[in-house]
């Protein structure tokens, strides 16, 4: 699937308008997938990626424990079998990068993965070396996306990443933040730099990005990756035992986790959400959230209100 | 980097299960070293009780034993194993190695003759109680809190129990030199407590409570000997 940047911007803008004005925005600007997991397009390149990815924060940091590494590999196996592609990690995540690399090698999946990584060092000069170390961990030829983690030394790192992209050594360039940190700075970088993607925290309780960042990403043709959809599991734990409301049948969801993911994916600016998990059944459940109907604007508000009331 | 807006959980890089597995794998890997390590540590309170108090000569046996243990835990457990899941582990690992050096240095800095100061009975009793807790209570904390037996803290082998045991011993020392040995175990207890709180351990209060008791006893003014 390949669209022009103009078409993509028009489609995203239409989606945002629909979300803002229409009580029904089925698929919220991106048609709901009834024949498999939903794909979303990275505006700058036209590359389509599955809308549910895999995060590795905490869950893949298991050191050299063979049993735990095997468990992570099984999670990755289920992820790829279910049509997933985007895996996101960072040098900040301890041994996660090494564990991802082991999994990719064991599953012979280096060509299947959409590799999303980060550079995380306060020294711009150390960036290239860290990126090369990271690449060696993954065992991939090049990264599909390299992001500046939490805006750390972003000026220097963006210079490096944009040069690497120009040389064909990187697919896309982005920046990340989490839990609402430094949104002011984040917006300024979004508005002034030629970014392909941004990564932010977004879920029914953390909606600050809806006001400015998501519309700005749509305006600027930047893909949006969503981290911490479950607040690192705290949200799903709090919702354990809370019965799913009636709208769950409407959406075809069987768990709160799926409802949270559908809430996020229904925003037209969102490209991909990256829940992290150590469980194969949860990976399958998360991927299933990218199939079937997505909530319209009214239903999204109901989901948010129900989540807020339940926690 | 601005640190506003961060919570304790943001600094926890691993799952509680991963932390438990770290201890389980460590205990399995070093078995049966636990037996001589614990026996070596038990020599210290035995010497104290046998002689009725802390003597400089006794410290020349006790402190080198502790020094070896601190360096071992710093290199093998913290640097090589904990470092796999926590890139910041290099700092406590360096601290443990430094503590080993300090223990060894102070062992031979003690005067030949007993000093003309005496440890107050309250400090002595508190120190012994903390040492006993490090040997007996801390290993039981894991199974009593629903964690696997094999993930237990063990004096002479794992950091919490060893740091606490060392703090208990410092409370029994008469000379000011003891204050030099206080910061590293105290900082480790603080760091470990924060980690346990972030992991929602129900027994996270045990280590800081005992460490505080030991520090208070260590800071009690020494008395002039009759």
């Amino acid at each position: 699937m390949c669209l022009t940047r103009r078409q993509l911007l028009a489609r995203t803008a239409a989606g945002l308008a629909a979300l803002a004005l229409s009580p029904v925005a089925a698929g919220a600007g991106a048609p709901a997938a009834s024949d498999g997991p939903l794909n979303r397009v990275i505006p700058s390149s036209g590359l389509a990626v599955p809308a549910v990815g895999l995060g590795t924060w905490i869950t893949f940091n298991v050191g050299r424990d063979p049993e735990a590494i095997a468990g992570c590999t099984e999670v990755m196996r289920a992820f790829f079998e279910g049509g997933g592609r985007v895996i996101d990690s960072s040098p900040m995540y301890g041994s996660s990068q090494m564990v991802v690399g082991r999994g990719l090698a064991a599953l012979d999946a280096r060509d299947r993965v959409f590799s999303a990584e980060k550079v995380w060092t306060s020294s711009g000069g150390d960036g290239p070396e860290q990126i090369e170390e990271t690449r060696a961990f993954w065992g991939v030829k090049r990264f599909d996306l390299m992001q500046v983690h939490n805006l750390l030394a972003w000026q220097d790192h963006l210079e490096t990443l944009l040069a690497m992209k120009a040389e064909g050594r990187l697919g896309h360039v982005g920046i990340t933040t989490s839990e609402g940190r430094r949104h002011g700075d984040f917006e300024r970088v979004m508005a002034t730099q030629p970014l392909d993607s941004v990564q932010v925290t977004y879920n029914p309780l953390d909606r600050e990005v809806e006001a400015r960042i998501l519309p700005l990403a749509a305006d600027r043709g930047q893909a949006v990756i969503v981290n911490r959809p479950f607040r690192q599991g705290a949200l799903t734990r709090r919702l354990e035992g809370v019965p799913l409301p009636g709208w769950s049948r409407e959406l075809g969801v069987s768990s709160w986790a799926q409802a949270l993911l559908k809430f996020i994916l229904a925003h037209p600016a969102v490209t991909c959400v990256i829940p992290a998990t150590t469980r194969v059944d949860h990976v399958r459940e998360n991927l299933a959230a990218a199939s079937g109907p997505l909530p319209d604007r009214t239903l999204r508000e109901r989901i948010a209100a129900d989540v807020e009331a339940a926690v | 980097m601005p640190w506003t807006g961060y919570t304790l959980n943001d600094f926890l890089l691993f799952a509680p299960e991963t932390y438990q597995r770290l201890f389980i794998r460590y205990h399995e890997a070093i078995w049966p070293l636990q037996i001589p390590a614990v026996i070596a540590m038990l020599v210290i309170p035995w010497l104290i009780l046998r002689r009725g108090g802390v003597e400089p000569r006794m410290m020349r046996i006790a402190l080198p034993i502790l020094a070896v243990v601190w360096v071992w835990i710093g290199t093998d457990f913290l640097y090589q194993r904990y470092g796999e899941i926590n890139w910041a582990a290099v700092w406590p690992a360096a601290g443990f190695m430094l503590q080993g050096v300090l223990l060894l240095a102070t062992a031979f800095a003690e005067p030949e003759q007993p000093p003309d100061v005496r440890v107050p009975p309250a400090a002595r009793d508190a120190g012994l109680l903390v040492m006993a807790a490090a040997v007996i209570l801390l290993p039981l904390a894991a199974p009593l809190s629903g964690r696997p037996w094999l993930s237990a803290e063990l004096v002479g082998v794992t950091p919490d129990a060893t740091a606490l045991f060392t703090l208990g011993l410092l409370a029994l020392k008469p000379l000011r030199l003891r204050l030099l040995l206080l910061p590293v175990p105290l900082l480790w207890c603080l760091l470990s407590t924060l980690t346990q709180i972030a992991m929602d351990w129900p027994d996270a209060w045990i280590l800081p409570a005992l460490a505080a008791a030991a520090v208070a006893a260590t800071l009690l003014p020494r008395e002039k000997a009759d």
Side-chain angles (χ1 to χ4, degrees), chain A residues 57-58 61-65 67 91-92 94-95 120 150 152 179 181-182 228, chain B residues 1-2 4-7 9-10 12-15 18 21 25 84-87:
Chain A
W57 165 238
I58 303 264
N61 182 20
V62 296
R64 298 188 186 280
D65 182 344
E67 198 177 304
M92 188 194 165
S95 58
W120 183 66
N150 281 353
L152 187 62
E179 299 171 85
R181 288 187 206 105
R182 299 183 68 183
R228 296 176 62 92
Chain B
M1 184 194 284
T4 52
Y6 282 85
T7 64
N9 269 61
D10 292 320
L12 190 71
L13 301 174
F14 41 81
T18 302
R21 290 274 307 157
R25 288 171 57 232
E84 285 179 11
I85 59 168
N86 186 349
W87 39 260

Side-chain angles (χ1 to χ4, degrees), chain B:
Chain B
M1 184 194 284
W3 294 106
T4 52
Y6 282 85
T7 64
L8 195 55
N9 269 61
D10 292 320
F11 297 98
L12 190 71
L13 301 174
F14 41 81
E17 297 75 23
T18 302
Y19 194 66
Q20 284 170 37
R21 290 274 307 157
L22 171 77
F23 280 80
I24 291 167
R25 288 171 57 232
Y26 173 60
H27 280 305
E28 287 171 345
I30 67 165
W31 175 258
L33 272 180
Q34 289 92 336
I35 296 166
V38 172
I39 290 170
M41 297 296 280
L42 289 175
V43 164
I44 298 166
W46 174 75
L47 281 171
I48 295 166
L49 294 168
R50 180 174 153 265
R51 293 177 180 272
V54 178
E55 290 180 19
R57 275 170 302 177
M58 193 214 86
M59 279 294 164
R60 294 193 176 173
I61 301 168
L63 295 188
I65 291 173
L66 267 179
V68 170
V69 162
W70 275 83
V71 171
W72 163 262
I73 293 171
T75 51
D76 188 81
F77 181 79
L78 290 176
Y79 185 74
Q80 289 185 33
R81 298 174 194 272
Y82 190 35
E84 285 179 11
I85 59 168
N86 186 349
W87 39 260
V90 63
W91 299 108
F96 268 62
M97 291 176 217
L98 172 68
Q99 183 75 359
V101 171
L102 290 174
L103 284 162
L104 203 56
T106 53
F108 296 99
E110 299 282 353
E112 278 290 340
Q113 292 304 312
D116 60 351
V117 290
R118 159 176 102 82
V119 177
R124 179 183 177 275
D125 294 346
L128 283 168
L129 273 173
V130 168
M131 287 167 82
V135 174
I136 299 159
L137 180 63
L138 244 53
L140 293 173
L144 289 176
S145 303
R147 298 190 299 276
W149 265 106
L150 263 181
S151 68
E153 281 282 341
L154 206 56
V155 73
V157 179
T158 61
D160 289 11
T162 304
L164 191 62
F165 183 90
T166 305
L167 287 174
L169 181 66
L170 295 183
L172 304 176
K173 281 176 69 66
L175 297 182
R176 278 183 177 278
L177 216 50
R178 70 189 186 278
L179 301 178
L180 186 67
L181 300 171
L182 203 54
V184 174
L186 190 57
L187 280 171
W188 172 259
C189 288
L190 177 66
L191 192 67
S192 187
T193 298
L194 292 173
T195 305
Q196 292 176 26
I197 291 169
M199 292 190 295
D200 285 331
W201 281 14
D203 52 329
W205 59 272
I206 295 176
L207 184 65
L210 290 167
V215 171
T218 303
L219 295 177
L220 272 178
R222 310 289 97 154
E223 299 165 348
K224 273 277 183 196
D226 298 328

